[in-house]
Amino acid sequence: MTTSLKAGWVAEPLKKVLGSQVRGLRLERRLSQEELAEQLGVSARYLAGIERGERNLTLDSVDALAGQLEVEAQTLLSRG
């Protein structure tokens, strides 16, 4: 589902933005999905769903991800 904010402009869904940011930061840190998932206490399959923008996370989960990746939570939600 996309949201149109202005005529002719469509925003990328926030969960896709989050997933892209998580993937990018994970790769910058040279972590596999399995390694990051283990650190977070989730399955690699669940983390893959986050990275594909298929999971709706709670704010607590976003905070936990940000903490593990050593960034501010807002970084994960920035369309940037």
Side-chain angles (χ1 to χ4, degrees):
M1 181 175 165
T2 59
T3 305
S4 179
L5 300 178
K6 293 191 232 179
W9 190 84
V10 179
E12 184 176 19
L14 195 53
K15 62 186 179 178
K16 292 275 189 191
V17 172
L18 172 72
S20 177
Q21 294 286 38
V22 169
R23 179 180 297 117
L25 289 165
R26 176 180 60 77
L27 293 173
E28 280 180 18
R29 285 153 178 76
R30 296 191 168 133
L31 293 169
S32 68
Q33 283 183 334
E34 292 78 12
E35 290 168 325
L36 181 56
E38 185 177 322
Q39 292 172 8
L40 292 167
V42 300
S43 71
R45 184 175 178 160
Y46 184 80
L47 180 59
I50 292 170
E51 289 187 0
R52 288 191 303 270
E54 298 171 353
R55 301 283 182 179
N56 286 316
L57 301 180
T58 65
L59 294 175
D60 288 339
S61 295
V62 173
D63 277 340
L65 261 171
Q68 194 62 46
L69 292 167
E70 300 177 343
V71 297
E72 295 291 325
Q74 297 90 320
T75 300
L76 298 180
L77 302 174
S78 173
R79 288 185 165 90

